[in-house]
Amino acid sequence: MSMLNQTVLTPVSFILNGIPGLEDMNMWIPFPLFSIYMVVMVGNCGLLYLTCYENSLHRSMYYFFAMLSLTDLVMCTSTIPKALCIFWFHLKEISFNECLVQMFLIYASIGMECGMLILMALDCYAAICYLLHYSTILTNPGIAKVGLATFLRVVMLVTPLTYIIKRLPYCRGNILYHTYCDHMSVAKLSCGNIKVNVIYGLMVALLFGGFDILCITISYTMISLSLADAPQKAFTTCTAHICSTVFSYSPAFFCFFSHCFGGHKIPPSCHIIVANIYLLLPPTMNPMLME
C-alpha cells in the first residue's frame, strides 16, 4: 500500500510554464536568450582554449578563470536549451528525474561560481601581499587541490538538496511557473511538510552567499590594509575579480531579499526574470573581464 501511495504521489513529470504574465511575448523572449547562449559558448570556450594552449596564461589567476568558465558553460547549458524549447517549440514537459538533475547542476554551478570567486580573491591577496612567495604558494598541484576541495564542498551541500525534494509527496499539480526547476518552486507543489526544505535551502544560501562574501571581503580588506599608501593599485590589480563578484551576487541579493521581505508585492514575472539574469549575467560577463 505504501508503495502504491509513493507511486501516486511522485509525479512522472513537471510542466515548465515559462514566465507568467508574459505569454504574449513568448515568441520574442527566446531571441535574447539564444544570443546570450551563443555569447556564453563562444566566450567561455575561447577562454578555455586560450588557457590550455597559450603559455603566457599558465598562471593561477587564469586557471581559476578557466574553472569559472567551465562552471558557466554547465550552468547555461543546463537551463537555456530547455528554456528555448519551452518558448519556441512548446516542449514544456520535464521528467521528475530530469528536473532533479537540472536542479543539481544549477545549484552545483552556483556553488562552484561562489567557490571560484573566493579562490580568485585569495589569489589576488597572495599576488599582492606575498609576491615573493607567490609562485611557491600557488603551484599547479595546489591549484588542483583547492579546485577539487571546492567541488567536493559543492557536492556535499547540494546532493541533500535534491534528496529532500525527492522524498516529498506531490499532490498540488505538476505545473511550475518557471523556466527551470527551482528548488522552492518545486517544493511548493508538495502537500507535505517543506520546513526542512526551507531551513536547508536557507542554510545552503548562507554558506554559498554569506560565508563566501565574508571571505572575499576579508581578502580585499587585507589587501587594502597592506597597500594603505596605494589603494588604487589594489583596485586596479583586482578589477576583474571585483567585477565578477558584483555581477554574481547583485541579482542573487535581489532574489533573496525580495523573497524574504517583499515577495508578495513583486510580480512573479519579475522574480523569474531576475532569477534567469542571476544565472545568465555572470557567464556572459566573466570572459570579458579576464585581463
Side-chain angles (χ1 to χ4, degrees), residues 143-174:
I143 294 169
K145 288 177 182 177
V146 295
L148 179 61
T150 302
F151 176 74
L152 292 176
R153 182 191 75 145
V154 168
V155 171
M156 287 189 292
L157 286 174
V158 176
T159 300
L161 202 66
T162 56
Y163 172 76
I164 59 178
I165 279 288
K166 189 172 184 178
R167 71 175 180 84
L168 291 173
Y170 294 90
C171 56
R172 293 179 178 172
N174 66 338

Side-chain angles (χ1 to χ4, degrees), residues 18 68 93 164 172 182 221 238 252 257 261 268 283-284:
L68 195 60
E93 187 174 5
I164 59 178
R172 293 179 178 172
D182 175 70
T221 301
C238 303
F257 287 115
F261 304 111
T284 306

Side-chain angles (χ1 to χ4, degrees), residues 50 59 117 124 128 146 162 169 175 211 222 226 229 242 247 277:
L50 288 174
R59 291 185 287 163
L117 292 175
C124 192
I128 292 175
V146 295
T162 56
I175 298 177
F211 176 76
M222 294 176 70
S226 66
D229 56 335
I242 295 170
F247 286 136
I277 290 174

